[in-house]
Amino acid sequence: MQITHVEVSPMELGLRVPYRTAYHAEAGVESVGVVFIRIETRQGDVAWGCAAFDPAITGETLEGVTRVCQACARRARDLNPLNIEHALTELGRLTTEAPSAQCAFDIALHDLLGLNAGMPLYRFLGGYRHRIQTSIAINLGSVRETVEMARARAAQGFRILKIKGGLSPEEDVRRVRAVHRALPELTIRLDADQGYTIQQALEIARALEGRLEMLEQPTPAADLDGLAEVTEHSPIPI
């Protein structure tokens, strides 16, 4: 299989509901930058990949990711897309400053792999489910706003809610408890976005035992010892 053309398309996608997390607590996010890549092969297959990133977390920019994707597009035409490990290793030399670009080509090359095999990629990789449950994030907000957003998502069919938190441990406890009272049949997760100290994380885990399926990223990412301590002593999964 030979790649004949790679198209790189940067876009700004507007969000219907502004997205608020501990990283964007002031104004929230009203649009996100993404870069789509479209790969064509001599055999007529067309595969897609996407680089999605958050500048506040990864430090990447739309212009930078686009530039790296364009460099990868030029290099990819000299690579065998079915030799995925080698191809991604070669592209990895170009993507150290923009890891989401590597992700985009990883997705596209696996898409080509499934097309070449003549079956959906999940089946080619050994999967057997036709559907899986996924969570939907609930933005930062007041207790009332959190419950309203949770009810709206539940009405859309979601059964797993991931509540964003991390700015106020006490408020996060109130928000989770309120959602649990309103929607006791739903699975609830809390994503602190690195916002808690070790003590705060453990206090929240104890306060919400029986209400949370898990507590995500409670402490700063660089503090692995702290995360290990929370994991060891928390009554709920971390």
Side-chain angles (χ1 to χ4, degrees):
M1 179 177 285
Q2 181 180 359
I3 294 175
T4 57
H5 181 69
V6 183
E7 181 179 345
V8 177
S9 301
M11 296 184 183
E12 285 279 350
L13 302 179
L15 302 178
R16 287 182 295 177
V17 178
Y19 189 61
R20 294 185 64 229
T21 72
Y23 298 114
H24 323 92
E26 296 301 323
V29 177
E30 297 187 354
S31 65
V32 295
V34 297
V35 180
F36 291 101
I37 63 169
R38 181 179 184 273
I39 295 178
E40 298 179 14
T41 70
R42 190 173 299 280
Q43 291 74 18
D45 290 323
V46 176
W48 290 85
C50 177
F53 51 92
D54 187 333
I57 298 175
T58 68
E60 296 169 283
T61 65
L62 183 59
E63 294 77 13
V65 173
T66 300
R67 184 171 58 253
V68 172
C69 282
Q70 290 168 339
C72 289
R74 293 189 292 271
R75 180 70 181 95
R77 286 193 286 269
D78 296 324
L79 300 172
N80 180 350
L82 298 184
N83 190 352
I84 288 183
E85 292 301 323
H86 173 71
L88 291 177
T89 297
E90 290 297 306
L91 296 179
R93 306 179 196 281
L94 305 174
T95 61
T96 55
E97 300 300 321
S100 64
Q102 176 88 348
C103 178
F105 280 85
D106 191 317
I107 294 169
L109 295 184
H110 278 87
D111 190 8
L112 278 179
L113 189 64
L115 292 171
N116 184 71
M119 63 179 68
L121 181 61
Y122 82 92
R123 188 178 295 276
F124 180 82
L125 294 176
Y128 60 91
R129 294 183 179 88
H130 293 283
R131 298 194 307 169
I132 61 172
Q133 284 190 318
T134 186
S135 65
I136 186 72
I138 303 297
N139 292 352
L140 279 176
S142 66
V143 172
R144 179 183 59 80
E145 290 169 336
T146 300
V147 172
E148 289 177 354
M149 287 186 283
R151 288 187 185 279
R153 293 306 191 183
Q156 293 174 336
F158 289 97
R159 290 296 173 264
I160 305 175
L161 306 177
K162 183 168 78 169
I163 298 175
K164 286 288 189 175
L167 291 184
S168 170
E170 295 80 8
E171 183 75 355
D172 290 344
V173 169
R174 289 191 288 269
R175 294 166 66 226
V176 170
R177 286 175 172 170
V179 172
H180 185 266
R181 285 195 301 269
L183 301 163
E185 72 282 4
L186 268 59
T187 298
I188 302 176
R189 301 168 180 170
L190 175 60
D191 182 1
D193 280 330
Q194 309 180 55
Y196 304 149
T197 64
I198 295 172
Q199 186 62 34
Q200 288 171 334
L202 290 174
E203 289 175 353
I204 284 182
R206 292 164 185 148
L208 296 177
E209 184 177 4
R211 296 178 175 88
L212 285 182
E213 180 193 44
M214 68 176 186
L215 175 58
E216 179 179 340
Q217 205 175 35
T219 51
D223 184 9
L224 296 181
D225 291 337
L227 182 61
E229 182 175 346
V230 174
T231 301
E232 180 180 357
H233 297 290
S234 171
I236 61 176
I238 301 298

